[in-house]
Amino acid sequence: MAHVPALEVIDDCGIQPTAVAGTSMGAIVGALYASGMPGKDIRAGVDEHIVGKDDDFKEVLSKAPKLLKWLNVVSPEFRRGGMLKADGFLRYLIEQFGVKTFEELEIPLYVVTTDFWSGEPVVISRGELLPAIKASMAIPGVFAPVVIDEAVLVDGGVVNNLPYDIISDLCDHTIAIDVAPTRRPRVKKVPNVLDSVLGMFDMMVARAAIDKLEKSPPTVYCRPEILDVRTLDFDHIEDVYEMAKPAVEILRADLQKYVDNVDGN
């Protein structure tokens, strides 16, 4: 969700992306944005599905039908390969896009997944959106792998959680929004099973991103400091927005410099 305020800043600066690349939750938010939905509309849509700190009883009641949609995010998964499933929620989300295929999007979108058997990245930019997004967020051990064209695919974060590099040849400049959580010990220092899986995944993702950033950095890099929020903590969305503010304001200043340079030339 820290992607959302960053997208609002990109819109405020009058920047119209040539292409969007996303992994996991970044693929979901990226698809919303690529469908033509500006950052402020994505935030408004999210707000309809959460109980805000300032919401009174009447507002909560009016949101009730949409609040129930979040329950599908954490439905039990009884098949082999994962503990949770998100099929119902993702189908609902696709309905909000108003489009079902990559070809219908207003901005070209590149969704990153990982081939489970080869360990190689698989970038999807054509065909149906739902299977690609579902595969991109299939965290190993949490969500079941997804089979597309006989390939067994899992979360793209395994190989590329910050995929600005896959569209660098298409763009003059790249903007990378790194929303990986900042890890620190909690009060209960011994993690449960889910925390262990997600924590190990976060460590692996962070190491891969650091290596890439050192070798070929993007034009503009934004890393909000997100503390004490796990991958599936959807009840902390407002906290994420608040924690993202300092980094997003730096992003605004950095982007404005580039916009001013372009206008000046």
Side-chain angles (χ1 to χ4, degrees):
M1 288 295 99
H3 285 297
V4 177
L7 292 176
E8 289 177 311
V9 165
I10 291 172
D11 292 338
D12 290 345
C13 291
I15 296 172
Q16 296 180 323
T18 302
V20 175
T23 300
S24 200
M25 193 65 189
I28 296 176
V29 179
L32 285 167
Y33 194 65
S35 73
M37 192 178 294
K40 66 177 183 179
D41 287 356
I42 298 176
R43 184 192 288 256
V46 170
D47 288 347
E48 291 179 355
H49 294 78
I50 63 173
V51 177
K53 294 177 181 177
D54 298 326
D55 286 351
D56 57 28
F57 178 75
K58 187 175 181 180
E59 289 172 315
V60 173
L61 199 61
S62 68
K63 292 181 179 181
K66 292 185 176 180
L67 291 174
L68 293 174
K69 296 293 182 181
W70 284 116
L71 297 179
N72 288 313
V73 176
V74 290
S75 298
E77 171 63 270
F78 297 110
R79 294 182 302 152
R80 294 175 60 186
M83 295 184 290
L84 306 172
K85 66 177 180 179
D87 301 53
F89 177 73
L90 287 177
R91 287 194 189 94
Y92 171 73
L93 205 58
I94 289 291
E95 292 174 6
Q96 311 310 302
F97 296 167
V99 297
K100 294 183 178 181
T101 67
F102 283 86
E103 288 78 9
E104 295 174 84
L105 297 171
E106 292 188 13
I107 304 172
L109 174 68
Y110 297 81
V111 170
V112 181
T113 70
T114 304
D115 187 302
F116 179 80
W117 293 111
S118 70
E120 293 297 318
V122 176
V123 180
I124 304 174
S125 60
R126 297 177 181 176
E128 291 185 63
L129 278 167
L130 181 59
I133 293 173
K134 187 178 174 184
S136 186
M137 61 172 283
I139 300 172
V142 179
F143 295 106
V146 176
V147 179
I148 299 178
D149 295 333
E150 299 184 358
V152 180
L153 304 176
V154 295
D155 196 300
V158 174
V159 290
N160 192 349
N161 198 52
L162 197 61
Y164 61 88
D165 55 312
I166 68 173
I167 56 174
S168 59
D169 291 342
L170 304 174
C171 311
D172 296 319
H173 304 284
T174 51
I175 304 168
I177 312 300
D178 187 351
V179 300
T182 300
R183 304 180 70 252
R184 67 177 181 179
R186 294 190 172 203
V187 175
K188 185 180 179 181
K189 294 186 178 182
V190 180
N192 59 31
V193 174
L194 186 58
D195 283 339
S196 297
V197 172
L198 294 176
M200 290 299 296
F201 186 74
D202 287 341
M203 283 187 271
M204 178 177 62
V205 163
R207 185 66 260 172
I210 290 171
D211 290 342
K212 183 170 65 174
L213 287 165
E214 290 175 348
K215 293 175 183 176
S216 55
T219 309
V220 176
Y221 175 70
C222 176
R223 172 70 189 273
E225 187 175 44
I226 309 300
L227 297 168
D228 300 326
V229 179
R230 298 180 303 177
T231 300
L232 301 174
D233 282 348
F234 285 98
D235 56 331
H236 291 305
I237 290 176
E238 287 190 312
D239 296 329
V240 169
Y241 288 158
E242 193 63 30
M243 285 185 277
K245 280 183 178 180
V248 166
E249 287 310 308
I250 294 173
L251 173 66
R252 185 187 300 277
D254 290 341
L255 292 180
Q256 197 58 56
K257 289 178 185 176
Y258 281 98
V259 171
D260 291 344
N261 286 337
V262 170
D263 291 342
N265 292 330

